[in-house]
Amino acid sequence: MNKSKCLTTFAMLFLLFGYAQDNNLTSSPYSLFGLGVESNSNTGRNSGLGKTGIALDAKRGINLNNPASFASLSENEFVFDFGGSAELMNQYTDNSNEQDLTSSFTNISLGFNSNGKYGMGLTLKPASNVGYSLTGLESNIEGSNESFTTNIEGSGGLNELRLDYGRKMSKDLNLGIKASYLFGKIEETESISTNESYFDITEENYYSGFQLGLGLQYQFLPKHNFGLTVDFPTALQGSKDVRIGKYLNSAYSLLEETNGESIDNFNLPLKVGIGYSTMYKNLLLTADYNKSFWSATNQSDAIGEYIDQNIFGLGASYSKNPNGLKYWDRVDYRMGLNYNSGYLKVADKNIDTYAASLGIGLPIGKRSLINLSYSLSKKGTTESILVEEYIHTLNINISLSDIWFQKTKYE
């Protein structure tokens, strides 16, 4: 893997990632709440394992589920990891159904370990996605027989720029820390039309802030591993720009414009995760549990209620001989299950998600992988005028690994 070509590609993908984030990366009506729906972004191996990985190392690709995993990168190893996903979403209500296709980057990551004692990583990935559309809302003008029609569209989301550091404290213990900068824009456009005029209201909300997290991985018995993560609560600062315009007789006039107006902070919760993994011959088994204490943030929403979130994940993978000479002996086969209780309650119903995944890791040369995974998930319900979603997700991830930082030897 040529170093200059790798770094040039990394820079180009960063630019493409920023361009892609300006477009809708979801079509879920639940992205109307808060900062949008949580991003499904993950690295290739973890996507096929039910999004588990708190107790997994980084020997088969970067693992963003625990910063301590970066300490397990091989000595002098450099990893370049990037990927994308496509979602086909079917939405059902009591009397209608819709289908939408969206796509996005999942992550762009660099990881390295220069001396075998510590590993570091730099990642850019989406943190939340917004992409909703409410059209044809009819209302009456108070005190008159006339009516007006409202169309509302939302787009944008938050990005996470993240630095990870993992250090090997002993043969069996790795500790890690991560520092994330969260930033992004959520735009809502509302158009109101009557028989005589047309109003256009655009509101752009900007959020940014830092969040810290810690991680631990410990091998307490041969082939038995334990992982722990903590993400500390933080507040994202917000501001908004508002522009209101009016069209009358084909002439446009700007009625109001404000920039940089302060809005309420958005509070992110304390999050705690524990994980376990074990090897039985060539079969890897892994399990994760994450809890986010949203109820302690005192967040409020006009439509929904924030509640504590619980996420359970199970995963399994099998490779006949990861270090073998035969190609198909080194292929990694994966499967996983995931349940997310959600952090929103709307009309007294939890917006929860059930998901199942299948994945495969195809070797490229000695150290690199192409990771493919497919997942089917069900979110929400048709009860209480809500929306039920069935989401087909295809993830494609490339993990390129090489040995750098070695001195050239001359005879």
Side-chain angles (χ1 to χ4, degrees), residues 110-164:
L110 292 176
F112 66 90
N113 186 333
S114 62
N115 63 5
K117 297 181 179 179
Y118 70 90
M120 296 186 69
L122 178 66
T123 296
L124 178 63
K125 69 185 189 73
S128 71
N129 297 320
V130 175
Y132 58 87
S133 179
L134 306 173
T135 60
L137 304 177
E138 295 283 347
S139 303
N140 291 323
I141 299 176
E142 187 175 351
S144 118
N145 293 326
E146 296 185 20
S147 63
F148 63 91
T149 303
T150 303
N151 297 316
I152 303 174
E153 291 187 355
S155 62
L158 293 187
N159 305 309
E160 179 181 6
L161 181 61
R162 170 175 160 178
L163 180 65
D164 289 83

Side-chain angles (χ1 to χ4, degrees), residues 51-52 63 214 216 261 277 304 337 359:
K51 301 180 183 179
T52 60
N63 175 21
L214 300 176
L216 173 151
E261 180 181 346
S277 69
L337 298 172

Side-chain angles (χ1 to χ4, degrees), residues 379-391:
K379 181 176 183 177
T381 176
T382 56
E383 298 180 26
S384 302
I385 324 177
L386 295 176
V387 178
E388 188 174 71
E389 301 174 346
Y390 286 88
I391 308 167

Side-chain angles (χ1 to χ4, degrees), residues 186-198:
I186 297 174
E187 180 176 342
E188 182 176 273
T189 301
E190 181 178 356
S191 61
I192 303 172
S193 59
T194 66
N195 293 333
E196 298 180 353
S197 60
Y198 176 91

Side-chain angles (χ1 to χ4, degrees), residues 152-212:
I152 303 174
E153 291 187 355
S155 62
L158 293 187
N159 305 309
E160 179 181 6
L161 181 61
R162 170 175 160 178
L163 180 65
D164 289 83
Y165 176 86
R167 189 169 189 87
K168 187 173 290 295
M169 307 304 293
S170 68
K171 178 183 177 182
D172 300 322
L173 177 63
N174 296 335
L175 297 180
I177 185 171
K178 69 174 182 178
S180 297
Y181 177 61
L182 298 162
F183 64 98
K185 177 182 72 172
I186 297 174
E187 180 176 342
E188 182 176 273
T189 301
E190 181 178 356
S191 61
I192 303 172
S193 59
T194 66
N195 293 333
E196 298 180 353
S197 60
Y198 176 91
F199 292 88
D200 184 83
I201 304 170
T202 300
E203 182 175 306
E204 297 174 340
N205 292 339
Y206 298 87
Y207 292 96
S208 63
F210 290 91
Q211 186 174 36
L212 294 176

Side-chain angles (χ1 to χ4, degrees), residues 45 59-61 318-334 359-372 397-401:
R45 183 189 189 191
K59 293 181 180 179
R60 292 184 72 87
Y318 174 79
S319 180
K320 185 175 181 181
N321 185 0
N323 300 312
L325 297 177
K326 296 182 179 180
Y327 182 83
W328 290 106
D329 288 352
R330 294 185 287 127
V331 172
D332 197 30
Y333 302 92
R334 305 157 184 157
I360 188 171
L362 301 172
I364 313 173
K366 294 182 178 180
R367 308 182 63 87
S368 302
L369 287 170
I370 295 178
N371 298 291
L372 303 174
N397 170 272
I398 299 177
S399 181
L400 303 175
S401 175

